[in-house]
Amino acid sequence: MTLVVRPWLSLALVLLVWCVWPPTSSAAADADGDEDSAERMAPLATTGAGPKAIPNKRCLKCHGDEEDQTVERDDGTVVNIFVHPDDLAASVHGEQLCVSCHTNVTDTKHEDDPPPIVVSCVECHQKTWAEHKDDTDPKYQRLGVVIAQIDSYLHSVHARPSRVDQSRTNATCYDCHDAHRIGALGSQARADHRLKNPEVCGRCHEEEKDQYLTSIHGRAVSEWRDPEAAVCSDCHTTHEIDSPKGDVQQLQITQNCGSCHQEAQRTYLASYHGQVNRLGYTHTAKCFDCHGSHAVAGVDEPSSSIHRDNRLETCQQCHEDAPAGFLGFHPHGNTRDFARYPGLWLTAKFMQALIIGVFLFFWTHVILWFYREYRDRRAGKSFAHVPPTAGTLYFRRFGWTWRIVHLLFAVSTMVLVLSGTTLFFAHTDWAKAVITLLGGPQVEAIVHRVAAVTWLSVFAVHVLIVAFNILRKGKTFQWFGPSSLIPNLQDLRDVGAMFRWFFGRAPRPSFDRWSYWQKFDYWAPFWGAAIIGFSGLTLFFPTKTAEFLPGWVFNVATIVHAEEALLATMFLFTVHFFNSHFRPDRFPMSTIMFTGAVPLEEFKFEHGKEYARLKASGELERYLVKPPSERFEKGSRTLAAVLILAGLGLLTLVVIGYVTAPH
């Protein structure tokens, strides 16, 4: 019996001792200030990841000593081991154990050299996120932002050559971040770290740091302690840093300049340089090409690359033979700022007034015309489309010359619109897709100029032919005759008659060879050739232009070239398409400009005055022809459909670009 009772008695005595005098844990020892007890008990606990859970107090006995901040390795290397306890406590990692990061530290002896730093911020954060990404605790949700930053870092130049082994990287997390004082967003620690950013980056990039500290940005940080001044990470980004020689990083840096200089970026993006940059290409001037990179100086500082004494040399980096006329160019000319740029403001306002005036009249004209013609067509008062038969007589309205000129004009105009608006609306996704299909801005420039030369050549040949006919006929040439395209008083009467018909107050007017809207369609290219052509040539040959004209001409040329092109595009694919194809009597299309002939009855309805005049003079028979062959008519319809659909497609792209443009 005694042999059975004694083991239970022994166990009871042990339990009694445990309850009366429990062993002290390391946490309790820390709380009570019993450091020796904590030191004895620490090796018994673990972090769960393997290493001993050495309390932070034990680490700080040495590393928190302000009088003994450095130690020397056997190889003579001096290592700073000081960690301020308050900084560590205030850090976002303040609740973590030191050995949670320093996983290779298993004891506090360090009898030999201080152990190497073997810290894997990336691995730890990724592992924690994998375990807690579904946790609703805000601290774990904030960790998701860190994971995104880690992903950016792993694609950066700092993470090379090894993205896995952080001991073999150009710069790891703790090289840039203050490892023991990482502050939360908005904290004083984070603000202090921002001001130290140039010094941190300068540990590796010494030459760049020295240049930066002489710049207007660097002085604002080092002398004035301005937290809003640009530091390295503002331009180069914080984590996804790459070589500034690469296109991606150059585009990013240029975009980052706009974070502070918003108005300057807006005017830059409105220029040819900025449009190409926005499309994703870097062969044109970027912010740092003109202003410099690390040693940026104020415009009035003699050392500035954009100081008036240095600006021409800066331009000549790209425009090798740039003359002094370039100095008159306004790189950031602002059409909204009358005080600084009155000429640009007036030019922009004039073009806007012209566009509004033209469309106010002609879009009103289109709406009223559609309404009246649709009503008359339903009432049987309009020309009825009757399928032509073999015996249908046709009137030959346009010869081969007119038709070829029209086709060349149409095709070259559409190519000009596509290539030109791709730059003008560089902010759109469709522009980036088009520029990629074209092979880049340099190919686009060639395409645009070939189309422009074609357009201007056709126009010039036409003008020469007209001049030849005028000289050939001499005094017999009828400047204001019934077949003349020169506007006259009758056109004003016809406008009034047309509007009276729109409102049902008079019958539909009858026209001679040319109606007033056809005359407008004819003379518009003369205006367009003068405005678009001249402005395009000045931009095409900037060096030659600047030898004779002041540099601000480039600013004016850019405004009128773009605005006039936009006016022509919108007019052609809305008003002209309606007049020629979409009004009820012509819908869905007219092939007159492709076949050259129109059914006699339709001609009589549209141009009654010319019909009556030719019949009275006996000349009508000269213009009567057989119907176009079925094959020719089918080909003409196909060609017309392709051009109409292409025009409507371009119109859609332009509208998208205009509506989504940042104003």
Side-chain angles (χ1 to χ4, degrees):
M1 187 70 177
T2 304
L3 294 174
V4 175
V5 172
R6 281 180 180 176
W8 287 103
L9 181 60
S10 299
L11 177 61
L13 290 172
V14 170
L15 290 174
L16 179 61
V17 172
W18 182 279
C19 294
V20 175
W21 187 23
T24 306
S25 67
S26 62
D30 287 343
D32 295 337
D34 188 349
E35 297 182 9
D36 291 335
S37 176
E39 290 175 8
R40 289 194 299 270
M41 298 304 301
L44 301 178
T46 64
T47 63
K52 305 292 179 59
I54 303 173
N56 289 356
K57 271 196 172 183
R58 288 188 64 186
C59 299
L60 291 172
K61 285 182 67 177
C62 296
H63 292 277
D65 187 354
E66 296 190 36
E67 296 181 359
D68 191 10
Q69 298 189 10
T70 61
V71 295
E72 185 176 346
R73 296 182 186 271
D74 290 344
D75 61 3
T77 305
V78 177
V79 181
N80 188 325
I81 65 169
F82 178 68
V83 177
H84 200 295
D86 293 340
D87 289 347
L88 183 62
S91 170
V92 294
H93 293 153
E95 297 179 2
Q96 302 295 322
L97 293 174
C98 300
V99 292
S100 295
C101 296
H102 297 275
T103 56
N104 62 315
V105 177
T106 58
D107 62 71
T108 60
K109 300 292 186 180
H110 302 333
E111 293 179 355
D112 300 322
D113 289 344
I117 298 176
V118 181
V119 175
S120 180
C121 306
V122 171
E123 182 180 355
C124 182
H125 283 96
Q126 288 179 333
K127 180 180 178 181
T128 306
W129 177 246
E131 295 173 353
H132 298 280
K133 61 183 178 181
D134 297 324
D135 199 315
T136 57
D137 190 322
K139 69 179 180 182
Y140 291 120
Q141 294 304 308
R142 289 193 296 270
L143 182 59
V145 177
V146 177
I147 294 300
Q149 294 171 340
I150 288 175
D151 183 64
S152 297
Y153 163 76
L154 291 177
H155 290 84
S156 74
V157 70
H158 283 163
R160 301 171 194 148
S162 174
R163 298 181 181 181
V164 178
D165 183 0
Q166 284 201 284
S167 66
R168 296 174 52 243
T169 59
N170 290 324
T172 192
C173 306
Y174 50 78
D175 288 325
C176 300
H177 294 276
D178 190 340
H180 301 104
R181 194 174 183 253
I182 300 178
L185 287 174
S187 66
Q188 184 60 43
R190 185 65 69 93
D192 292 342
H193 183 72
R194 174 179 173 81
L195 290 173
K196 291 193 297 184
N197 181 262
E199 292 296 333
V200 171
C201 297
R203 295 170 190 165
C204 297
H205 307 282
E206 295 181 7
E207 182 179 347
E208 288 79 4
K209 184 194 77 172
D210 292 341
Q211 293 177 0
Y212 168 82
L213 291 177
T214 66
S215 73
I216 191 170
H217 295 151
R219 295 198 305 274
V221 170
S222 63
E223 297 176 14
W224 311 322
R225 310 299 292 170
D226 182 1
E228 300 298 324
V231 294
C232 309
S233 57
D234 290 325
C235 300
H236 293 276
T237 73
T238 52
H239 294 95
E240 197 169 358
I241 300 172
D242 211 334
S243 170
K245 296 180 180 179
D247 287 355
V248 174
Q249 197 68 7
Q250 289 188 10
L251 292 171
Q252 183 65 61
I253 292 172
T254 305
Q255 180 181 338
N256 290 345
C257 292
S259 301
C260 298
H261 307 283
Q262 296 177 351
E263 187 63 17
Q265 185 188 57
R266 185 189 68 80
T267 54
Y268 165 75
L269 292 176
S271 70
Y272 174 74
H273 296 151
Q275 290 165 349
V276 171
N277 187 270
R278 179 175 269 182
L279 286 170
Y281 297 83
T282 61
H283 62 272
T284 57
K286 299 161 287 298
C287 306
F288 52 83
D289 289 324
C290 299
H291 294 270
S293 50
H294 298 102
V296 178
V299 63
D300 295 325
E301 296 182 50
S303 62
S304 172
S305 57
I306 57 170
H307 186 275
R308 187 168 185 84
D309 294 340
N310 307 324
R311 193 179 305 167
L312 184 59
E313 183 179 350
T314 300
C315 294
Q316 289 172 342
Q317 294 177 13
C318 297
H319 306 275
E320 295 180 1
D321 300 321
F326 266 56
L327 294 175
F329 174 65
H330 302 300
H332 292 284
N334 191 347
T335 57
R336 303 175 183 178
D337 190 344
F338 176 78
R340 295 184 62 189
Y341 308 102
L344 305 188
W345 186 90
L346 290 171
T347 302
K349 293 303 179 185
F350 171 77
M351 294 304 301
Q352 291 170 8
L354 176 65
I355 291 174
I356 292 172
V358 168
F359 286 122
L360 184 64
F361 175 82
F362 279 102
W363 280 352
T364 301
H365 190 273
V366 163
I367 294 170
L368 294 174
W369 192 351
F370 176 85
Y371 169 78
R372 177 49 55 194
E373 195 164 283
Y374 176 76
R375 293 287 301 270
D376 283 4
R377 188 171 178 80
R378 293 194 63 182
K381 300 178 182 179
S382 184
F383 170 74
H385 286 282
V386 178
T389 63
T392 301
L393 288 175
Y394 272 69
F395 181 86
R396 180 173 58 80
R397 183 155 173 77
F398 300 108
W400 277 104
T401 303
W402 277 98
R403 288 142 65 187
I404 292 174
V405 167
H406 176 271
L407 181 60
L408 288 173
F409 255 76
V411 173
S412 58
T413 297
M414 290 181 179
V415 173
L416 285 169
V417 170
L418 180 64
S419 54
T421 55
T422 297
L423 282 175
F424 193 63
F425 298 121
H427 66 280
T428 61
D429 291 333
W430 67 257
K432 295 177 176 65
V434 169
I435 206 70
T436 301
L437 290 174
L438 289 176
Q442 290 156 312
V443 177
E444 175 273 338
I446 295 173
V447 171
H448 192 75
R449 289 162 182 170
V450 169
V453 170
T454 302
W455 196 94
L456 289 173
S457 297
V458 173
F459 176 78
V461 169
H462 172 72
V463 171
L464 289 175
I465 292 174
V466 170
F468 174 77
N469 287 332
I470 293 174
L471 293 174
R472 181 172 59 86
K473 293 185 178 181
K475 294 182 179 180
T476 62
F477 183 81
Q478 296 183 349
W479 288 91
F480 296 98
S483 297
S484 174
L485 278 162
I486 298 177
N488 53 44
L489 289 176
Q490 183 58 44
D491 295 312
L492 288 177
R493 300 188 189 101
D494 289 343
V495 171
M498 197 72 167
F499 272 85
R500 286 194 295 273
W501 171 62
F502 288 160
F503 292 102
R505 301 180 60 184
R508 177 174 180 150
S510 180
F511 300 101
D512 210 304
R513 174 79 176 161
W514 308 108
S515 61
Y516 61 87
W517 68 83
Q518 289 173 328
K519 290 184 178 181
F520 187 90
D521 283 352
Y522 175 79
W523 285 104
F526 282 83
W527 165 266
I531 300 299
I532 300 178
F534 178 75
S535 60
L537 288 173
T538 62
L539 298 173
F540 189 6
F541 302 104
T543 302
K544 293 296 182 184
T545 300
E547 291 178 359
F548 304 99
L549 298 173
W552 56 260
V553 168
F554 297 128
N555 298 98
V556 174
T558 300
I559 296 170
V560 299
H561 192 79
E563 297 294 337
E564 177 62 24
L566 182 64
L567 169 61
T569 300
M570 297 290 289
F571 184 89
L572 284 172
F573 302 142
T574 57
V575 178
H576 178 68
F577 270 21
F578 174 83
N579 294 347
S580 301
H581 303 287
F582 297 154
R583 55 191 175 94
D585 275 353
R586 291 279 178 86
F587 188 81
M589 71 180 70
S590 170
T591 60
I592 297 174
M593 208 66 226
F594 304 98
T595 63
V598 58
L600 183 61
E601 290 302 314
E602 182 178 346
F603 169 71
K604 183 195 293 188
F605 179 80
E606 294 278 352
H607 300 277
K609 288 184 178 180
E610 183 181 18
Y611 173 82
R613 177 170 53 79
L614 293 175
K615 187 174 182 180
S617 65
E619 297 179 89
L620 183 63
E621 297 295 329
R622 292 171 46 196
Y623 296 93
L624 299 182
V625 295
K626 294 180 180 180
S629 67
E630 182 178 350
R631 183 177 179 181
F632 189 54
E633 179 67 30
K634 185 177 180 179
S636 297
R637 285 187 172 277
T638 301
L639 180 58
V642 168
L643 292 175
I644 290 172
L645 291 174
L648 293 178
L650 291 170
L651 177 63
T652 302
L653 297 180
V654 169
V655 171
I656 292 173
Y658 186 79
V659 170
T660 59
H663 295 291

